[in-house]
Amino acid sequence: MELKTRNLLVAGALIGVCFATSSPAIAQTQYRGYVKNGHGYKRQKVTLHDYFTDHPKVKAATVGAGVGTAAGAVTGLVTGRGVLRGAAVGAGTGVGVGLVRSSHTMRRHPIVKDVATGSLVGMGLGYAGGRHHGTTARATAVGAAAGLATGLLRHGL
């Protein structure tokens, strides 16, 4: 493997880790409340698990960003458009997909949720791998059609 490609892969992985861990890092300095022990009350530190339990949207966005970063980096590597560019586009798209998948409104409309997810995934892959805006538009349309087919097969008419 060429040195330049390996360096780009390492940089993409580091960006993915930064995107995936940036939001909950604040949780280490926050306190959840007070806990009674034998001598009185003491402050209880918030763990990462507690933070994600209290903030499910942040968890969905963080997980989506991590998965999107990996998918975008691979797409950028395969298409030759750049691993970092693909990772950045994938992270942004992954955040959107994570929020759509965890939305309470979209739970009531599962077919629309699948169409929105397919559209976002198609848009992200088209933008990360394409050179023209037409590629992004076509990939978005294909993703929406795939999401609609998935929603109709999974949830019926």
PDB file of all heavy atoms in Angstrom, residues 60-90:
ATOM      1  N   ALA A  60     -27.716   8.597  19.568  1.00  0.00           N
ATOM      2  CA  ALA A  60     -28.039   8.244  18.186  1.00  0.00           C
ATOM      3  C   ALA A  60     -27.173   9.018  17.204  1.00  0.00           C
ATOM      4  O   ALA A  60     -26.682   8.454  16.215  1.00  0.00           O
ATOM      5  CB  ALA A  60     -29.517   8.506  17.915  1.00  0.00           C
ATOM      6  N   ALA A  61     -26.948  10.296  17.475  1.00  0.00           N
ATOM      7  CA  ALA A  61     -26.114  11.102  16.586  1.00  0.00           C
ATOM      8  C   ALA A  61     -24.660  10.640  16.622  1.00  0.00           C
ATOM      9  O   ALA A  61     -23.992  10.593  15.588  1.00  0.00           O
ATOM     10  CB  ALA A  61     -26.208  12.572  16.982  1.00  0.00           C
ATOM     11  N   THR A  62     -24.162  10.273  17.790  1.00  0.00           N
ATOM     12  CA  THR A  62     -22.774   9.833  17.919  1.00  0.00           C
ATOM     13  C   THR A  62     -22.547   8.498  17.220  1.00  0.00           C
ATOM     14  O   THR A  62     -21.569   8.322  16.493  1.00  0.00           O
ATOM     15  CB  THR A  62     -22.389   9.725  19.402  1.00  0.00           C
ATOM     16  OG1 THR A  62     -22.636  10.977  20.030  1.00  0.00           O
ATOM     17  CG2 THR A  62     -20.941   9.359  19.568  1.00  0.00           C
ATOM     18  N   VAL A  63     -23.445   7.568  17.437  1.00  0.00           N
ATOM     19  CA  VAL A  63     -23.319   6.266  16.773  1.00  0.00           C
ATOM     20  C   VAL A  63     -23.458   6.432  15.259  1.00  0.00           C
ATOM     21  O   VAL A  63     -22.691   5.841  14.481  1.00  0.00           O
ATOM     22  CB  VAL A  63     -24.364   5.269  17.330  1.00  0.00           C
ATOM     23  CG1 VAL A  63     -24.406   4.004  16.502  1.00  0.00           C
ATOM     24  CG2 VAL A  63     -24.058   4.947  18.777  1.00  0.00           C
ATOM     25  N   GLY A  64     -24.418   7.250  14.828  1.00  0.00           N
ATOM     26  CA  GLY A  64     -24.582   7.509  13.397  1.00  0.00           C
ATOM     27  C   GLY A  64     -23.347   8.145  12.790  1.00  0.00           C
ATOM     28  O   GLY A  64     -22.947   7.807  11.670  1.00  0.00           O
ATOM     29  N   ALA A  65     -22.726   9.072  13.515  1.00  0.00           N
ATOM     30  CA  ALA A  65     -21.513   9.715  13.009  1.00  0.00           C
ATOM     31  C   ALA A  65     -20.375   8.712  12.871  1.00  0.00           C
ATOM     32  O   ALA A  65     -19.620   8.743  11.891  1.00  0.00           O
ATOM     33  CB  ALA A  65     -21.095  10.851  13.932  1.00  0.00           C
ATOM     34  N   GLY A  66     -20.250   7.811  13.819  1.00  0.00           N
ATOM     35  CA  GLY A  66     -19.194   6.805  13.738  1.00  0.00           C
ATOM     36  C   GLY A  66     -19.373   5.870  12.561  1.00  0.00           C
ATOM     37  O   GLY A  66     -18.428   5.604  11.803  1.00  0.00           O
ATOM     38  N   VAL A  67     -20.589   5.381  12.380  1.00  0.00           N
ATOM     39  CA  VAL A  67     -20.870   4.471  11.262  1.00  0.00           C
ATOM     40  C   VAL A  67     -20.734   5.214   9.937  1.00  0.00           C
ATOM     41  O   VAL A  67     -20.164   4.700   8.965  1.00  0.00           O
ATOM     42  CB  VAL A  67     -22.277   3.854  11.418  1.00  0.00           C
ATOM     43  CG1 VAL A  67     -22.670   3.077  10.179  1.00  0.00           C
ATOM     44  CG2 VAL A  67     -22.333   2.972  12.644  1.00  0.00           C
ATOM     45  N   GLY A  68     -21.251   6.440   9.886  1.00  0.00           N
ATOM     46  CA  GLY A  68     -21.158   7.235   8.656  1.00  0.00           C
ATOM     47  C   GLY A  68     -19.725   7.573   8.294  1.00  0.00           C
ATOM     48  O   GLY A  68     -19.364   7.607   7.112  1.00  0.00           O
ATOM     49  N   THR A  69     -18.903   7.832   9.295  1.00  0.00           N
ATOM     50  CA  THR A  69     -17.491   8.130   9.036  1.00  0.00           C
ATOM     51  C   THR A  69     -16.804   6.941   8.385  1.00  0.00           C
ATOM     52  O   THR A  69     -16.059   7.095   7.409  1.00  0.00           O
ATOM     53  CB  THR A  69     -16.778   8.499  10.347  1.00  0.00           C
ATOM     54  OG1 THR A  69     -17.414   9.645  10.902  1.00  0.00           O
ATOM     55  CG2 THR A  69     -15.319   8.791  10.115  1.00  0.00           C
ATOM     56  N   ALA A  70     -17.061   5.767   8.893  1.00  0.00           N
ATOM     57  CA  ALA A  70     -16.451   4.567   8.318  1.00  0.00           C
ATOM     58  C   ALA A  70     -16.943   4.333   6.890  1.00  0.00           C
ATOM     59  O   ALA A  70     -16.145   4.065   5.978  1.00  0.00           O
ATOM     60  CB  ALA A  70     -16.759   3.362   9.197  1.00  0.00           C
ATOM     61  N   ALA A  71     -18.255   4.443   6.681  1.00  0.00           N
ATOM     62  CA  ALA A  71     -18.809   4.220   5.342  1.00  0.00           C
ATOM     63  C   ALA A  71     -18.305   5.269   4.356  1.00  0.00           C
ATOM     64  O   ALA A  71     -17.963   4.958   3.210  1.00  0.00           O
ATOM     65  CB  ALA A  71     -20.330   4.230   5.398  1.00  0.00           C
ATOM     66  N   GLY A  72     -18.250   6.513   4.785  1.00  0.00           N
ATOM     67  CA  GLY A  72     -17.769   7.578   3.908  1.00  0.00           C
ATOM     68  C   GLY A  72     -16.295   7.434   3.584  1.00  0.00           C
ATOM     69  O   GLY A  72     -15.871   7.702   2.458  1.00  0.00           O
ATOM     70  N   ALA A  73     -15.495   7.014   4.560  1.00  0.00           N
ATOM     71  CA  ALA A  73     -14.063   6.833   4.306  1.00  0.00           C
ATOM     72  C   ALA A  73     -13.826   5.718   3.297  1.00  0.00           C
ATOM     73  O   ALA A  73     -12.994   5.861   2.385  1.00  0.00           O
ATOM     74  CB  ALA A  73     -13.341   6.536   5.613  1.00  0.00           C
ATOM     75  N   VAL A  74     -14.562   4.631   3.439  1.00  0.00           N
ATOM     76  CA  VAL A  74     -14.422   3.529   2.481  1.00  0.00           C
ATOM     77  C   VAL A  74     -14.882   3.973   1.100  1.00  0.00           C
ATOM     78  O   VAL A  74     -14.237   3.671   0.081  1.00  0.00           O
ATOM     79  CB  VAL A  74     -15.204   2.289   2.971  1.00  0.00           C
ATOM     80  CG1 VAL A  74     -15.307   1.242   1.884  1.00  0.00           C
ATOM     81  CG2 VAL A  74     -14.540   1.711   4.200  1.00  0.00           C
ATOM     82  N   THR A  75     -15.979   4.700   1.035  1.00  0.00           N
ATOM     83  CA  THR A  75     -16.482   5.190  -0.255  1.00  0.00           C
ATOM     84  C   THR A  75     -15.484   6.132  -0.906  1.00  0.00           C
ATOM     85  O   THR A  75     -15.216   6.040  -2.108  1.00  0.00           O
ATOM     86  CB  THR A  75     -17.827   5.912  -0.065  1.00  0.00           C
ATOM     87  OG1 THR A  75     -18.749   5.007   0.525  1.00  0.00           O
ATOM     88  CG2 THR A  75     -18.376   6.401  -1.387  1.00  0.00           C
ATOM     89  N   GLY A  76     -14.916   7.047  -0.127  1.00  0.00           N
ATOM     90  CA  GLY A  76     -13.918   7.957  -0.675  1.00  0.00           C
ATOM     91  C   GLY A  76     -12.666   7.244  -1.142  1.00  0.00           C
ATOM     92  O   GLY A  76     -12.053   7.625  -2.139  1.00  0.00           O
ATOM     93  N   LEU A  77     -12.281   6.188  -0.429  1.00  0.00           N
ATOM     94  CA  LEU A  77     -11.104   5.418  -0.827  1.00  0.00           C
ATOM     95  C   LEU A  77     -11.361   4.659  -2.121  1.00  0.00           C
ATOM     96  O   LEU A  77     -10.526   4.661  -3.033  1.00  0.00           O
ATOM     97  CB  LEU A  77     -10.713   4.442   0.287  1.00  0.00           C
ATOM     98  CG  LEU A  77      -9.520   3.541   0.014  1.00  0.00           C
ATOM     99  CD1 LEU A  77      -8.247   4.375  -0.084  1.00  0.00           C
ATOM    100  CD2 LEU A  77      -9.387   2.500   1.105  1.00  0.00           C
ATOM    101  N   VAL A  78     -12.513   4.019  -2.212  1.00  0.00           N
ATOM    102  CA  VAL A  78     -12.825   3.213  -3.391  1.00  0.00           C
ATOM    103  C   VAL A  78     -12.973   4.084  -4.635  1.00  0.00           C
ATOM    104  O   VAL A  78     -12.503   3.733  -5.716  1.00  0.00           O
ATOM    105  CB  VAL A  78     -14.098   2.371  -3.140  1.00  0.00           C
ATOM    106  CG1 VAL A  78     -14.609   1.742  -4.414  1.00  0.00           C
ATOM    107  CG2 VAL A  78     -13.825   1.312  -2.095  1.00  0.00           C
ATOM    108  N   THR A  79     -13.610   5.237  -4.505  1.00  0.00           N
ATOM    109  CA  THR A  79     -13.865   6.086  -5.666  1.00  0.00           C
ATOM    110  C   THR A  79     -12.703   7.008  -5.993  1.00  0.00           C
ATOM    111  O   THR A  79     -12.702   7.639  -7.042  1.00  0.00           O
ATOM    112  CB  THR A  79     -15.120   6.947  -5.444  1.00  0.00           C
ATOM    113  OG1 THR A  79     -14.922   7.767  -4.302  1.00  0.00           O
ATOM    114  CG2 THR A  79     -16.344   6.087  -5.277  1.00  0.00           C
ATOM    115  N   GLY A  80     -11.741   7.123  -5.082  1.00  0.00           N
ATOM    116  CA  GLY A  80     -10.598   7.977  -5.344  1.00  0.00           C
ATOM    117  C   GLY A  80     -10.853   9.447  -5.080  1.00  0.00           C
ATOM    118  O   GLY A  80     -10.067  10.301  -5.482  1.00  0.00           O
ATOM    119  N   ARG A  81     -11.915   9.787  -4.395  1.00  0.00           N
ATOM    120  CA  ARG A  81     -12.236  11.191  -4.105  1.00  0.00           C
ATOM    121  C   ARG A  81     -11.594  11.681  -2.822  1.00  0.00           C
ATOM    122  O   ARG A  81     -11.620  12.860  -2.541  1.00  0.00           O
ATOM    123  CB  ARG A  81     -13.752  11.372  -4.008  1.00  0.00           C
ATOM    124  CG  ARG A  81     -14.486  11.171  -5.289  1.00  0.00           C
ATOM    125  CD  ARG A  81     -14.237  12.295  -6.253  1.00  0.00           C
ATOM    126  NE  ARG A  81     -14.900  13.493  -5.744  1.00  0.00           N
ATOM    127  CZ  ARG A  81     -14.503  14.717  -5.999  1.00  0.00           C
ATOM    128  NH1 ARG A  81     -13.455  14.927  -6.746  1.00  0.00           N
ATOM    129  NH2 ARG A  81     -15.139  15.737  -5.506  1.00  0.00           N
ATOM    130  N   GLY A  82     -11.048  10.816  -2.031  1.00  0.00           N
ATOM    131  CA  GLY A  82     -10.363  11.219  -0.812  1.00  0.00           C
ATOM    132  C   GLY A  82     -11.013  10.622   0.419  1.00  0.00           C
ATOM    133  O   GLY A  82     -12.241  10.672   0.577  1.00  0.00           O
ATOM    134  N   VAL A  83     -10.204  10.052   1.264  1.00  0.00           N
ATOM    135  CA  VAL A  83     -10.703   9.398   2.466  1.00  0.00           C
ATOM    136  C   VAL A  83     -11.225  10.429   3.454  1.00  0.00           C
ATOM    137  O   VAL A  83     -12.292  10.251   4.050  1.00  0.00           O
ATOM    138  CB  VAL A  83      -9.596   8.528   3.100  1.00  0.00           C
ATOM    139  CG1 VAL A  83     -10.056   7.936   4.413  1.00  0.00           C
ATOM    140  CG2 VAL A  83      -9.188   7.428   2.146  1.00  0.00           C
ATOM    141  N   LEU A  84     -10.491  11.537   3.622  1.00  0.00           N
ATOM    142  CA  LEU A  84     -10.917  12.560   4.582  1.00  0.00           C
ATOM    143  C   LEU A  84     -12.217  13.223   4.152  1.00  0.00           C
ATOM    144  O   LEU A  84     -13.099  13.473   4.973  1.00  0.00           O
ATOM    145  CB  LEU A  84      -9.825  13.612   4.764  1.00  0.00           C
ATOM    146  CG  LEU A  84      -8.569  13.134   5.461  1.00  0.00           C
ATOM    147  CD1 LEU A  84      -7.532  14.242   5.523  1.00  0.00           C
ATOM    148  CD2 LEU A  84      -8.899  12.658   6.853  1.00  0.00           C
ATOM    149  N   ARG A  85     -12.320  13.511   2.868  1.00  0.00           N
ATOM    150  CA  ARG A  85     -13.554  14.107   2.358  1.00  0.00           C
ATOM    151  C   ARG A  85     -14.730  13.154   2.564  1.00  0.00           C
ATOM    152  O   ARG A  85     -15.794  13.538   3.038  1.00  0.00           O
ATOM    153  CB  ARG A  85     -13.396  14.416   0.873  1.00  0.00           C
ATOM    154  CG  ARG A  85     -14.625  15.009   0.236  1.00  0.00           C
ATOM    155  CD  ARG A  85     -14.349  15.258  -1.258  1.00  0.00           C
ATOM    156  NE  ARG A  85     -15.452  15.912  -1.891  1.00  0.00           N
ATOM    157  CZ  ARG A  85     -16.501  15.295  -2.415  1.00  0.00           C
ATOM    158  NH1 ARG A  85     -16.565  13.983  -2.364  1.00  0.00           N
ATOM    159  NH2 ARG A  85     -17.473  15.964  -2.984  1.00  0.00           N
ATOM    160  N   GLY A  86     -14.525  11.902   2.226  1.00  0.00           N
ATOM    161  CA  GLY A  86     -15.575  10.911   2.411  1.00  0.00           C
ATOM    162  C   GLY A  86     -15.940  10.728   3.868  1.00  0.00           C
ATOM    163  O   GLY A  86     -17.113  10.584   4.216  1.00  0.00           O
ATOM    164  N   ALA A  87     -14.937  10.748   4.748  1.00  0.00           N
ATOM    165  CA  ALA A  87     -15.208  10.591   6.181  1.00  0.00           C
ATOM    166  C   ALA A  87     -16.014  11.765   6.716  1.00  0.00           C
ATOM    167  O   ALA A  87     -16.937  11.585   7.517  1.00  0.00           O
ATOM    168  CB  ALA A  87     -13.900  10.445   6.940  1.00  0.00           C
ATOM    169  N   ALA A  88     -15.681  12.974   6.286  1.00  0.00           N
ATOM    170  CA  ALA A  88     -16.414  14.150   6.752  1.00  0.00           C
ATOM    171  C   ALA A  88     -17.855  14.140   6.257  1.00  0.00           C
ATOM    172  O   ALA A  88     -18.796  14.410   7.013  1.00  0.00           O
ATOM    173  CB  ALA A  88     -15.703  15.418   6.291  1.00  0.00           C
ATOM    174  N   VAL A  89     -18.046  13.808   4.992  1.00  0.00           N
ATOM    175  CA  VAL A  89     -19.403  13.728   4.448  1.00  0.00           C
ATOM    176  C   VAL A  89     -20.175  12.607   5.126  1.00  0.00           C
ATOM    177  O   VAL A  89     -21.356  12.763   5.493  1.00  0.00           O
ATOM    178  CB  VAL A  89     -19.355  13.518   2.910  1.00  0.00           C
ATOM    179  CG1 VAL A  89     -20.723  13.181   2.361  1.00  0.00           C
ATOM    180  CG2 VAL A  89     -18.801  14.749   2.239  1.00  0.00           C
ATOM    181  N   GLY A  90     -19.535  11.478   5.323  1.00  0.00           N
ATOM    182  CA  GLY A  90     -20.188  10.350   5.977  1.00  0.00           C
ATOM    183  C   GLY A  90     -20.574  10.644   7.411  1.00  0.00           C
ATOM    184  O   GLY A  90     -21.630  10.209   7.882  1.00  0.00           O
TER     185      GLY A  90
END
